[in-house]
PDB file of all heavy atoms in Angstrom:
ATOM      1  N   LYS A   1     -41.312-108.020 -53.881  1.00 94.00           N
ATOM      2  CA  LYS A   1     -41.132-106.861 -54.567  1.00 94.00           C
ATOM      3  C   LYS A   1     -39.690-106.463 -54.538  1.00 94.00           C
ATOM      4  O   LYS A   1     -39.022-106.694 -53.513  1.00 94.00           O
ATOM      5  CB  LYS A   1     -42.032-105.743 -54.185  1.00 94.00           C
ATOM      6  CG  LYS A   1     -43.470-106.056 -54.065  1.00 94.00           C
ATOM      7  CD  LYS A   1     -44.204-105.836 -55.410  1.00 94.00           C
ATOM      8  CE  LYS A   1     -45.713-105.865 -55.205  1.00 94.00           C
ATOM      9  NZ  LYS A   1     -46.214-107.157 -54.856  1.00 94.00           N
ATOM     10  N   ASP A   2     -39.132-105.715 -55.524  1.00 90.00           N
ATOM     11  CA  ASP A   2     -37.850-105.097 -55.467  1.00 90.00           C
ATOM     12  C   ASP A   2     -36.716-106.073 -55.162  1.00 90.00           C
ATOM     13  O   ASP A   2     -35.814-105.797 -54.358  1.00 90.00           O
ATOM     14  CB  ASP A   2     -37.767-103.929 -54.479  1.00 90.00           C
ATOM     15  CG  ASP A   2     -38.806-102.828 -54.723  1.00 90.00           C
ATOM     16  OD1 ASP A   2     -39.149-102.605 -55.879  1.00 90.00           O
ATOM     17  OD2 ASP A   2     -39.288-102.202 -53.790  1.00 90.00           O
ATOM     18  N   LEU A   3     -36.820-107.174 -55.751  1.00 93.00           N
ATOM     19  CA  LEU A   3     -35.860-108.324 -55.418  1.00 93.00           C
ATOM     20  C   LEU A   3     -34.574-107.991 -56.170  1.00 93.00           C
ATOM     21  O   LEU A   3     -34.481-107.742 -57.357  1.00 93.00           O
ATOM     22  CB  LEU A   3     -36.462-109.710 -55.917  1.00 93.00           C
ATOM     23  CG  LEU A   3     -35.616-110.909 -55.717  1.00 93.00           C
ATOM     24  CD1 LEU A   3     -35.518-111.215 -54.153  1.00 93.00           C
ATOM     25  CD2 LEU A   3     -36.144-112.083 -56.451  1.00 93.00           C
ATOM     26  N   ARG A   4     -33.428-108.127 -55.411  1.00 89.00           N
ATOM     27  CA  ARG A   4     -32.150-107.999 -56.027  1.00 89.00           C
ATOM     28  C   ARG A   4     -31.159-108.805 -55.332  1.00 89.00           C
ATOM     29  O   ARG A   4     -31.143-108.812 -54.112  1.00 89.00           O
ATOM     30  CB  ARG A   4     -31.750-106.440 -56.220  1.00 89.00           C
ATOM     31  CG  ARG A   4     -31.753-105.733 -54.909  1.00 89.00           C
ATOM     32  CD  ARG A   4     -31.743-104.211 -55.119  1.00 89.00           C
ATOM     33  NE  ARG A   4     -31.432-103.424 -53.995  1.00 89.00           N
ATOM     34  CZ  ARG A   4     -32.465-103.140 -53.051  1.00 89.00           C
ATOM     35  NH1 ARG A   4     -33.677-103.617 -53.247  1.00 89.00           N
ATOM     36  NH2 ARG A   4     -32.201-102.417 -51.992  1.00 89.00           N
ATOM     37  N   ALA A   5     -30.210-109.336 -56.079  1.00 91.00           N
ATOM     38  CA  ALA A   5     -29.136-110.137 -55.532  1.00 91.00           C
ATOM     39  C   ALA A   5     -27.828-109.358 -55.510  1.00 91.00           C
ATOM     40  O   ALA A   5     -27.519-108.825 -56.609  1.00 91.00           O
ATOM     41  CB  ALA A   5     -29.003-111.485 -56.335  1.00 91.00           C
ATOM     42  N   VAL A   6     -27.061-109.333 -54.448  1.00 86.00           N
ATOM     43  CA  VAL A   6     -25.845-108.677 -54.373  1.00 86.00           C
ATOM     44  C   VAL A   6     -24.832-109.710 -54.013  1.00 86.00           C
ATOM     45  O   VAL A   6     -24.311-109.850 -52.937  1.00 86.00           O
ATOM     46  CB  VAL A   6     -25.841-107.552 -53.383  1.00 86.00           C
ATOM     47  CG1 VAL A   6     -24.681-106.594 -53.554  1.00 86.00           C
ATOM     48  CG2 VAL A   6     -27.045-106.645 -53.449  1.00 86.00           C
ATOM     49  N   GLU A   7     -24.517-110.513 -55.026  1.00 88.00           N
ATOM     50  CA  GLU A   7     -23.683-111.778 -54.926  1.00 88.00           C
ATOM     51  C   GLU A   7     -22.192-111.494 -54.708  1.00 88.00           C
ATOM     52  O   GLU A   7     -21.494-112.162 -54.001  1.00 88.00           O
ATOM     53  CB  GLU A   7     -23.934-112.596 -56.139  1.00 88.00           C
ATOM     54  CG  GLU A   7     -23.506-114.096 -55.874  1.00 88.00           C
ATOM     55  CD  GLU A   7     -23.864-114.925 -57.047  1.00 88.00           C
ATOM     56  OE1 GLU A   7     -24.672-114.555 -58.014  1.00 88.00           O
ATOM     57  OE2 GLU A   7     -23.457-116.106 -57.027  1.00 88.00           O
ATOM     58  N   LYS A   8     -21.717-110.335 -55.122  1.00 81.00           N
ATOM     59  CA  LYS A   8     -20.314-110.060 -55.158  1.00 81.00           C
ATOM     60  C   LYS A   8     -19.889-109.202 -53.930  1.00 81.00           C
ATOM     61  O   LYS A   8     -18.799-108.737 -53.724  1.00 81.00           O
ATOM     62  CB  LYS A   8     -19.859-109.181 -56.365  1.00 81.00           C
ATOM     63  CG  LYS A   8     -20.064-110.062 -57.690  1.00 81.00           C
ATOM     64  CD  LYS A   8     -18.993-111.176 -57.854  1.00 81.00           C
ATOM     65  CE  LYS A   8     -18.941-111.806 -59.166  1.00 81.00           C
ATOM     66  NZ  LYS A   8     -20.004-112.653 -59.497  1.00 81.00           N
ATOM     67  N   ALA A   9     -20.837-108.937 -53.034  1.00 81.00           N
ATOM     68  CA  ALA A   9     -20.582-108.080 -51.814  1.00 81.00           C
ATOM     69  C   ALA A   9     -19.680-108.885 -50.919  1.00 81.00           C
ATOM     70  O   ALA A   9     -19.576-110.076 -50.956  1.00 81.00           O
ATOM     71  CB  ALA A   9     -21.902-107.752 -51.163  1.00 81.00           C
ATOM     72  N   PHE A  10     -19.083-108.089 -49.932  1.00 84.00           N
ATOM     73  CA  PHE A  10     -18.211-108.650 -48.918  1.00 84.00           C
ATOM     74  C   PHE A  10     -18.989-109.704 -48.155  1.00 84.00           C
ATOM     75  O   PHE A  10     -18.530-110.745 -47.851  1.00 84.00           O
ATOM     76  CB  PHE A  10     -17.680-107.576 -47.990  1.00 84.00           C
ATOM     77  CG  PHE A  10     -16.747-108.038 -46.978  1.00 84.00           C
ATOM     78  CD1 PHE A  10     -15.485-108.491 -47.340  1.00 84.00           C
ATOM     79  CD2 PHE A  10     -17.001-107.997 -45.692  1.00 84.00           C
ATOM     80  CE1 PHE A  10     -14.438-108.916 -46.433  1.00 84.00           C
ATOM     81  CE2 PHE A  10     -16.038-108.414 -44.722  1.00 84.00           C
ATOM     82  CZ  PHE A  10     -14.847-108.959 -45.035  1.00 84.00           C
ATOM     83  N   VAL A  11     -20.262-109.277 -47.787  1.00 91.00           N
ATOM     84  CA  VAL A  11     -21.295-110.306 -47.240  1.00 91.00           C
ATOM     85  C   VAL A  11     -22.388-110.415 -48.273  1.00 91.00           C
ATOM     86  O   VAL A  11     -23.303-109.580 -48.356  1.00 91.00           O
ATOM     87  CB  VAL A  11     -21.802-109.712 -45.951  1.00 91.00           C
ATOM     88  CG1 VAL A  11     -22.756-110.881 -45.252  1.00 91.00           C
ATOM     89  CG2 VAL A  11     -20.699-109.534 -44.946  1.00 91.00           C
ATOM     90  N   PRO A  12     -22.360-111.480 -49.128  1.00 94.00           N
ATOM     91  CA  PRO A  12     -23.285-111.593 -50.116  1.00 94.00           C
ATOM     92  C   PRO A  12     -24.793-111.662 -49.651  1.00 94.00           C
ATOM     93  O   PRO A  12     -24.947-112.220 -48.567  1.00 94.00           O
ATOM     94  CB  PRO A  12     -22.968-112.951 -50.853  1.00 94.00           C
ATOM     95  CG  PRO A  12     -21.537-113.185 -50.513  1.00 94.00           C
ATOM     96  CD  PRO A  12     -21.374-112.558 -49.116  1.00 94.00           C
ATOM     97  N   VAL A  13     -25.758-110.999 -50.333  1.00 95.00           N
ATOM     98  CA  VAL A  13     -27.053-110.825 -49.788  1.00 95.00           C
ATOM     99  C   VAL A  13     -28.108-110.788 -50.854  1.00 95.00           C
ATOM    100  O   VAL A  13     -27.848-110.270 -52.010  1.00 95.00           O
ATOM    101  CB  VAL A  13     -27.129-109.539 -48.873  1.00 95.00           C
ATOM    102  CG1 VAL A  13     -26.863-108.306 -49.758  1.00 95.00           C
ATOM    103  CG2 VAL A  13     -28.504-109.370 -48.200  1.00 95.00           C
ATOM    104  N   ILE A  14     -29.344-111.249 -50.562  1.00 96.00           N
ATOM    105  CA  ILE A  14     -30.490-111.023 -51.317  1.00 96.00           C
ATOM    106  C   ILE A  14     -31.305-110.018 -50.660  1.00 96.00           C
ATOM    107  O   ILE A  14     -31.722-110.224 -49.439  1.00 96.00           O
ATOM    108  CB  ILE A  14     -31.295-112.386 -51.645  1.00 96.00           C
ATOM    109  CG1 ILE A  14     -30.579-113.312 -52.580  1.00 96.00           C
ATOM    110  CG2 ILE A  14     -32.721-112.023 -52.163  1.00 96.00           C
ATOM    111  CD1 ILE A  14     -31.217-114.610 -52.896  1.00 96.00           C
ATOM    112  N   LYS A  15     -31.574-109.010 -51.302  1.00 94.00           N
ATOM    113  CA  LYS A  15     -32.512-107.927 -50.824  1.00 94.00           C
ATOM    114  C   LYS A  15     -33.869-107.944 -51.462  1.00 94.00           C
ATOM    115  O   LYS A  15     -33.979-108.125 -52.630  1.00 94.00           O
ATOM    116  CB  LYS A  15     -31.858-106.504 -51.000  1.00 94.00           C
ATOM    117  CG  LYS A  15     -30.568-106.353 -50.130  1.00 94.00           C
ATOM    118  CD  LYS A  15     -29.931-104.958 -50.499  1.00 94.00           C
ATOM    119  CE  LYS A  15     -28.842-104.642 -49.608  1.00 94.00           C
ATOM    120  NZ  LYS A  15     -29.186-104.104 -48.306  1.00 94.00           N
ATOM    121  N   MET A  16     -34.846-107.656 -50.656  1.00 96.00           N
ATOM    122  CA  MET A  16     -36.325-107.707 -51.231  1.00 96.00           C
ATOM    123  C   MET A  16     -37.228-106.968 -50.198  1.00 96.00           C
ATOM    124  O   MET A  16     -36.977-106.815 -49.070  1.00 96.00           O
ATOM    125  CB  MET A  16     -36.670-109.030 -51.442  1.00 96.00           C
ATOM    126  CG  MET A  16     -36.805-109.919 -50.210  1.00 96.00           C
ATOM    127  SD  MET A  16     -37.261-111.647 -50.547  1.00 96.00           S
ATOM    128  CE  MET A  16     -36.407-112.494 -49.180  1.00 96.00           C
ATOM    129  N   ASN A  17     -38.428-106.667 -50.811  1.00 96.00           N
ATOM    130  CA  ASN A  17     -39.535-106.328 -49.914  1.00 96.00           C
ATOM    131  C   ASN A  17     -40.423-107.517 -49.987  1.00 96.00           C
ATOM    132  O   ASN A  17     -40.944-107.892 -51.003  1.00 96.00           O
ATOM    133  CB  ASN A  17     -40.180-105.056 -50.536  1.00 96.00           C
ATOM    134  CG  ASN A  17     -41.368-104.610 -49.641  1.00 96.00           C
ATOM    135  OD1 ASN A  17     -42.277-105.304 -49.348  1.00 96.00           O
ATOM    136  ND2 ASN A  17     -41.354-103.387 -49.248  1.00 96.00           N
ATOM    137  N   PHE A  18     -40.706-108.177 -48.890  1.00 97.00           N
ATOM    138  CA  PHE A  18     -41.526-109.346 -48.872  1.00 97.00           C
ATOM    139  C   PHE A  18     -42.704-109.083 -48.005  1.00 97.00           C
ATOM    140  O   PHE A  18     -42.618-108.781 -46.853  1.00 97.00           O
ATOM    141  CB  PHE A  18     -40.785-110.494 -48.244  1.00 97.00           C
ATOM    142  CG  PHE A  18     -41.419-111.865 -48.487  1.00 97.00           C
ATOM    143  CD1 PHE A  18     -41.264-112.546 -49.573  1.00 97.00           C
ATOM    144  CD2 PHE A  18     -42.253-112.376 -47.459  1.00 97.00           C
ATOM    145  CE1 PHE A  18     -41.882-113.732 -49.831  1.00 97.00           C
ATOM    146  CE2 PHE A  18     -42.837-113.577 -47.591  1.00 97.00           C
ATOM    147  CZ  PHE A  18     -42.752-114.310 -48.786  1.00 97.00           C
ATOM    148  N   ASP A  19     -43.889-108.989 -48.698  1.00 96.00           N
ATOM    149  CA  ASP A  19     -45.151-108.767 -47.994  1.00 96.00           C
ATOM    150  C   ASP A  19     -45.077-107.538 -47.187  1.00 96.00           C
ATOM    151  O   ASP A  19     -45.575-107.423 -46.043  1.00 96.00           O
ATOM    152  CB  ASP A  19     -45.521-109.962 -47.139  1.00 96.00           C
ATOM    153  CG  ASP A  19     -47.020-110.022 -46.799  1.00 96.00           C
ATOM    154  OD1 ASP A  19     -47.809-109.335 -47.431  1.00 96.00           O
ATOM    155  OD2 ASP A  19     -47.480-110.965 -45.990  1.00 96.00           O
ATOM    156  N   GLY A  20     -44.508-106.416 -47.805  1.00 95.00           N
ATOM    157  CA  GLY A  20     -44.456-105.149 -47.167  1.00 95.00           C
ATOM    158  C   GLY A  20     -43.322-104.843 -46.162  1.00 95.00           C
ATOM    159  O   GLY A  20     -43.182-103.779 -45.652  1.00 95.00           O
ATOM    160  N   ILE A  21     -42.451-105.938 -46.004  1.00 96.00           N
ATOM    161  CA  ILE A  21     -41.337-105.741 -45.037  1.00 96.00           C
ATOM    162  C   ILE A  21     -39.984-105.903 -45.813  1.00 96.00           C
ATOM    163  O   ILE A  21     -39.839-106.716 -46.661  1.00 96.00           O
ATOM    164  CB  ILE A  21     -41.317-106.851 -43.952  1.00 96.00           C
ATOM    165  CG1 ILE A  21     -42.631-106.890 -43.165  1.00 96.00           C
ATOM    166  CG2 ILE A  21     -40.174-106.763 -43.020  1.00 96.00           C
ATOM    167  CD1 ILE A  21     -42.906-105.618 -42.259  1.00 96.00           C
ATOM    168  N   GLU A  22     -39.096-104.901 -45.524  1.00 96.00           N
ATOM    169  CA  GLU A  22     -37.809-104.908 -46.253  1.00 96.00           C
ATOM    170  C   GLU A  22     -36.957-106.045 -45.538  1.00 96.00           C
ATOM    171  O   GLU A  22     -36.810-106.094 -44.310  1.00 96.00           O
ATOM    172  CB  GLU A  22     -37.055-103.596 -46.101  1.00 96.00           C
ATOM    173  CG  GLU A  22     -37.681-102.502 -46.798  1.00 96.00           C
ATOM    174  CD  GLU A  22     -37.633-102.591 -48.329  1.00 96.00           C
ATOM    175  OE1 GLU A  22     -36.632-103.149 -48.840  1.00 96.00           O
ATOM    176  OE2 GLU A  22     -38.388-101.986 -49.013  1.00 96.00           O
ATOM    177  N   ILE A  23     -36.370-106.957 -46.369  1.00 97.00           N
ATOM    178  CA  ILE A  23     -35.658-108.080 -45.956  1.00 97.00           C
ATOM    179  C   ILE A  23     -34.254-108.096 -46.469  1.00 97.00           C
ATOM    180  O   ILE A  23     -34.106-107.913 -47.715  1.00 97.00           O
ATOM    181  CB  ILE A  23     -36.374-109.453 -46.284  1.00 97.00           C
ATOM    182  CG1 ILE A  23     -37.795-109.482 -45.657  1.00 97.00           C
ATOM    183  CG2 ILE A  23     -35.483-110.601 -45.808  1.00 97.00           C
ATOM    184  CD1 ILE A  23     -37.847-109.784 -44.187  1.00 97.00           C
ATOM    185  N   ASP A  24     -33.197-108.232 -45.639  1.00 97.00           N
ATOM    186  CA  ASP A  24     -31.883-108.506 -46.172  1.00 97.00           C
ATOM    187  C   ASP A  24     -31.640-109.949 -45.730  1.00 97.00           C
ATOM    188  O   ASP A  24     -31.623-110.418 -44.596  1.00 97.00           O
ATOM    189  CB  ASP A  24     -30.809-107.657 -45.431  1.00 97.00           C
ATOM    190  CG  ASP A  24     -30.753-106.260 -46.013  1.00 97.00           C
ATOM    191  OD1 ASP A  24     -31.568-105.982 -46.986  1.00 97.00           O
ATOM    192  OD2 ASP A  24     -29.924-105.499 -45.531  1.00 97.00           O
ATOM    193  N   LEU A  25     -31.474-110.914 -46.800  1.00 98.00           N
ATOM    194  CA  LEU A  25     -31.305-112.325 -46.491  1.00 98.00           C
ATOM    195  C   LEU A  25     -29.928-112.792 -46.887  1.00 98.00           C
ATOM    196  O   LEU A  25     -29.487-112.745 -48.012  1.00 98.00           O
ATOM    197  CB  LEU A  25     -32.390-113.067 -47.316  1.00 98.00           C
ATOM    198  CG  LEU A  25     -32.432-114.553 -47.143  1.00 98.00           C
ATOM    199  CD1 LEU A  25     -32.637-114.968 -45.700  1.00 98.00           C
ATOM    200  CD2 LEU A  25     -33.516-115.187 -48.015  1.00 98.00           C
ATOM    201  N   LEU A  26     -29.172-113.237 -45.888  1.00 98.00           N
ATOM    202  CA  LEU A  26     -27.893-113.889 -46.109  1.00 98.00           C
ATOM    203  C   LEU A  26     -27.966-115.449 -46.137  1.00 98.00           C
ATOM    204  O   LEU A  26     -29.010-115.919 -45.848  1.00 98.00           O
ATOM    205  CB  LEU A  26     -26.893-113.424 -44.948  1.00 98.00           C
ATOM    206  CG  LEU A  26     -26.849-111.975 -44.525  1.00 98.00           C
ATOM    207  CD1 LEU A  26     -25.866-111.804 -43.399  1.00 98.00           C
ATOM    208  CD2 LEU A  26     -26.499-111.059 -45.656  1.00 98.00           C
ATOM    209  N   PHE A  27     -26.844-116.016 -46.486  1.00 98.00           N
ATOM    210  CA  PHE A  27     -26.888-117.466 -46.627  1.00 98.00           C
ATOM    211  C   PHE A  27     -25.670-118.014 -46.005  1.00 98.00           C
ATOM    212  O   PHE A  27     -24.490-117.532 -46.161  1.00 98.00           O
ATOM    213  CB  PHE A  27     -26.955-117.855 -48.122  1.00 98.00           C
ATOM    214  CG  PHE A  27     -26.844-119.318 -48.319  1.00 98.00           C
ATOM    215  CD1 PHE A  27     -27.903-120.197 -48.187  1.00 98.00           C
ATOM    216  CD2 PHE A  27     -25.562-119.941 -48.644  1.00 98.00           C
ATOM    217  CE1 PHE A  27     -27.792-121.535 -48.416  1.00 98.00           C
ATOM    218  CE2 PHE A  27     -25.489-121.292 -48.931  1.00 98.00           C
ATOM    219  CZ  PHE A  27     -26.593-122.023 -48.729  1.00 98.00           C
ATOM    220  N   ALA A  28     -25.845-119.157 -45.228  1.00 97.00           N
ATOM    221  CA  ALA A  28     -24.671-119.843 -44.711  1.00 97.00           C
ATOM    222  C   ALA A  28     -24.922-121.321 -44.889  1.00 97.00           C
ATOM    223  O   ALA A  28     -25.934-121.880 -44.449  1.00 97.00           O
ATOM    224  CB  ALA A  28     -24.411-119.550 -43.256  1.00 97.00           C
ATOM    225  N   ARG A  29     -23.898-122.044 -45.496  1.00 97.00           N
ATOM    226  CA  ARG A  29     -23.943-123.477 -45.571  1.00 97.00           C
ATOM    227  C   ARG A  29     -23.040-124.076 -44.583  1.00 97.00           C
ATOM    228  O   ARG A  29     -21.837-123.860 -44.535  1.00 97.00           O
ATOM    229  CB  ARG A  29     -23.496-123.754 -47.056  1.00 97.00           C
ATOM    230  CG  ARG A  29     -23.116-125.219 -47.314  1.00 97.00           C
ATOM    231  CD  ARG A  29     -22.238-125.243 -48.577  1.00 97.00           C
ATOM    232  NE  ARG A  29     -21.978-126.523 -49.043  1.00 97.00           N
ATOM    233  CZ  ARG A  29     -21.010-126.912 -49.824  1.00 97.00           C
ATOM    234  NH1 ARG A  29     -20.041-126.015 -50.118  1.00 97.00           N
ATOM    235  NH2 ARG A  29     -20.831-128.112 -50.169  1.00 97.00           N
ATOM    236  N   LEU A  30     -23.693-124.858 -43.616  1.00 97.00           N
ATOM    237  CA  LEU A  30     -22.856-125.509 -42.592  1.00 97.00           C
ATOM    238  C   LEU A  30     -22.348-126.845 -42.961  1.00 97.00           C
ATOM    239  O   LEU A  30     -22.907-127.420 -43.868  1.00 97.00           O
ATOM    240  CB  LEU A  30     -23.749-125.594 -41.302  1.00 97.00           C
ATOM    241  CG  LEU A  30     -24.246-124.227 -40.712  1.00 97.00           C
ATOM    242  CD1 LEU A  30     -25.022-124.542 -39.435  1.00 97.00           C
ATOM    243  CD2 LEU A  30     -23.149-123.302 -40.501  1.00 97.00           C
ATOM    244  N   ALA A  31     -21.319-127.351 -42.306  1.00 95.00           N
ATOM    245  CA  ALA A  31     -20.766-128.647 -42.622  1.00 95.00           C
ATOM    246  C   ALA A  31     -21.495-129.618 -41.870  1.00 95.00           C
ATOM    247  O   ALA A  31     -20.909-130.562 -41.211  1.00 95.00           O
ATOM    248  CB  ALA A  31     -19.276-128.645 -42.264  1.00 95.00           C
ATOM    249  N   LEU A  32     -22.815-129.654 -41.934  1.00 96.00           N
ATOM    250  CA  LEU A  32     -23.738-130.610 -41.337  1.00 96.00           C
ATOM    251  C   LEU A  32     -24.633-131.269 -42.345  1.00 96.00           C
ATOM    252  O   LEU A  32     -25.041-130.570 -43.190  1.00 96.00           O
ATOM    253  CB  LEU A  32     -24.575-129.878 -40.248  1.00 96.00           C
ATOM    254  CG  LEU A  32     -23.910-129.156 -39.068  1.00 96.00           C
ATOM    255  CD1 LEU A  32     -24.914-128.452 -38.261  1.00 96.00           C
ATOM    256  CD2 LEU A  32     -23.102-130.142 -38.208  1.00 96.00           C
ATOM    257  N   THR A  33     -25.017-132.484 -42.146  1.00 96.00           N
ATOM    258  CA  THR A  33     -25.876-133.152 -43.071  1.00 96.00           C
ATOM    259  C   THR A  33     -27.314-132.799 -42.753  1.00 96.00           C
ATOM    260  O   THR A  33     -28.146-132.718 -43.701  1.00 96.00           O
ATOM    261  CB  THR A  33     -25.783-134.715 -42.962  1.00 96.00           C
ATOM    262  OG1 THR A  33     -25.909-135.047 -41.524  1.00 96.00           O
ATOM    263  CG2 THR A  33     -24.496-135.220 -43.479  1.00 96.00           C
ATOM    264  N   THR A  34     -27.619-132.392 -41.539  1.00 97.00           N
ATOM    265  CA  THR A  34     -28.945-131.953 -41.167  1.00 97.00           C
ATOM    266  C   THR A  34     -28.803-130.700 -40.283  1.00 97.00           C
ATOM    267  O   THR A  34     -27.847-130.590 -39.534  1.00 97.00           O
ATOM    268  CB  THR A  34     -29.829-132.960 -40.442  1.00 97.00           C
ATOM    269  OG1 THR A  34     -29.118-133.346 -39.226  1.00 97.00           O
ATOM    270  CG2 THR A  34     -30.013-134.210 -41.339  1.00 97.00           C
ATOM    271  N   ILE A  35     -29.897-129.839 -40.378  1.00 97.00           N
ATOM    272  CA  ILE A  35     -29.900-128.701 -39.482  1.00 97.00           C
ATOM    273  C   ILE A  35     -30.917-128.835 -38.317  1.00 97.00           C
ATOM    274  O   ILE A  35     -32.158-128.918 -38.649  1.00 97.00           O
ATOM    275  CB  ILE A  35     -30.267-127.384 -40.253  1.00 97.00           C
ATOM    276  CG1 ILE A  35     -29.282-127.239 -41.470  1.00 97.00           C
ATOM    277  CG2 ILE A  35     -30.361-126.118 -39.394  1.00 97.00           C
ATOM    278  CD1 ILE A  35     -27.857-126.919 -41.041  1.00 97.00           C
ATOM    279  N   PRO A  36     -30.485-129.067 -37.089  1.00 96.00           N
ATOM    280  CA  PRO A  36     -31.478-129.327 -36.067  1.00 96.00           C
ATOM    281  C   PRO A  36     -32.322-128.046 -35.671  1.00 96.00           C
ATOM    282  O   PRO A  36     -31.761-126.906 -35.933  1.00 96.00           O
ATOM    283  CB  PRO A  36     -30.578-129.692 -34.822  1.00 96.00           C
ATOM    284  CG  PRO A  36     -29.268-129.237 -35.161  1.00 96.00           C
ATOM    285  CD  PRO A  36     -29.144-129.064 -36.669  1.00 96.00           C
TER     286      PRO A  36
END
């Protein structure tokens, strides 16, 4: 619910209410082929 992307922010984030919990979700792409 209430999904919104704030892509242009200093720290870009997807905000949402997921199953009743408010979530701020950030993203980082590492220079690794796999994530252990």
Side-chain angles (χ1 to χ4, degrees):
K1 304 274 186 302
D2 303 330
L3 182 69
R4 57 197 187 280
V6 193
E7 199 172 348
K8 297 285 191 288
F10 187 65
V11 182
V13 60
I14 287 177
K15 291 175 170 281
M16 62 183 150
N17 183 305
F18 191 85
D19 203 5
I21 303 289
E22 294 290 333
I23 302 283
D24 281 1
L25 181 59
L26 312 182
F27 174 81
R29 166 201 189 200
L30 299 186
L32 301 174
T33 51
T34 60
I35 302 298

